[in-house]
Amino acid sequence: NAGVTQTPKFQVLKTGQSMTLQCAQDMNHEYMSWYRQDPGMGLRLIHYSVGAGITDQGEVPNGYNVSRSTTEDFPLRLLSAAPSQTSVYFCASSSGAGWGEKLFFGSGTQLSVL
Amino acid sequence: SQELEQSPQSLIVQEGKNLTINCTSSKTLYGLYWYKQKYGEGLIFLMMLQKGGEEKSHEKITAKLDEKKQQSSLHITASQPSHAGIYLCGADMGDFNKFYFGSGTKLNVKP
């Protein structure tokens, strides 16, 4: 049982480059979300989705795009990377109600933008 | 997030000592969750509290939610090196589909 799978684990980008962070879950969860973790700031919600075809903004959405074409996948796109986007990114999924208990996290992607 | 204040930011304790981590909100907490993160890894769910005055324990970790449902504490008894990591509180504060996290407490336990 893979749970939530994130790729890549590490990535270095130059300013202005684009890339997609991949997230896939095999638990048939409707709710998926992306967080970034910065020192002293905990986890901040970037975007979330409550089902295929439905996405919405979180706390810090600027500079990121998402789409949800299938229940399993929820990729996060950086169209033009900036140094301020250097962070650790986590994808999470949940079956729905009671978010916290059922939030399953991926192992994270460490992104550096030079 | 600023909605959840967590303290202290970091903690170094000698093995065998007790410690407490606090999580405070200015809003009512509909659900308060504690997670542990080992360095370089994802988050692992520890406990969830929903009712005012609720207390839950698992092995040497006890979490409490106050009667007003605005403050929670995580207490570790007789700490061990395996307790080291980052502890985060997360909360459902009534914003539909949004879940907030505190800034985390970095715990080191010296053998």
Side-chain angles (χ1 to χ4, degrees), chain A residues 25-37:
Chain A
Q25 53 89 11
D26 61 0
M27 297 172 281
N28 201 32
H29 285 169
E30 290 296 325
Y31 181 90
M32 296 185 75
S33 53
W34 277 102
Y35 292 86
R36 60 178 287 174
Q37 184 177 35

Side-chain angles (χ1 to χ4, degrees), chain B residues 41-54:
Chain B
E41 298 182 13
L43 278 69
I44 298 170
F45 170 77
L46 294 175
M47 277 175 275
M48 177 186 72
L49 304 165
Q50 288 186 303
K51 299 177 183 176
E54 188 174 8

Side-chain angles (χ1 to χ4, degrees), chain A residues 9 31 35 37 40-43 48 50 57 59 90 99-101 103 105-107, chain B residues 1 33 35 37 40-43 45 48 88 92 96-103:
Chain A
K9 198 164 178 62
Y31 181 90
Y35 292 86
Q37 184 177 35
M41 302 194 74
L43 289 160
Y48 65 95
V50 297
Q57 295 181 349
E59 205 180 341
F90 288 99
W99 309 122
E101 183 172 11
L103 264 181
F105 284 85
S107 56
Chain B
S1 96
Y33 311 86
Y35 284 84
Q37 181 183 23
E41 298 182 13
L43 278 69
F45 170 77
M48 177 186 72
L88 293 104
D92 171 4
F96 186 64
N97 286 323
K98 291 183 181 178
F99 189 74
Y100 298 92
F101 283 91
S103 55

Side-chain angles (χ1 to χ4, degrees), chain B residues 21-38:
Chain B
I21 299 168
N22 294 303
C23 181
T24 304
S25 171
S26 57
K27 299 181 182 179
T28 298
L29 302 171
Y30 292 93
L32 189 286
Y33 311 86
W34 285 99
Y35 284 84
K36 180 185 176 183
Q37 181 183 23
K38 290 186 177 179

Side-chain angles (χ1 to χ4, degrees), chain A residues 2 11 24 30 38 42 48-49 64 70 74 76 81 85 94 97-98 100 102 107-108:
Chain A
Q11 183 71 50
E30 290 296 325
D38 301 293
Y48 65 95
S49 168
Y64 307 95
T70 67
F74 190 44
L76 179 72
Q85 293 177 305
S94 169
K102 295 180 179 65
S107 56

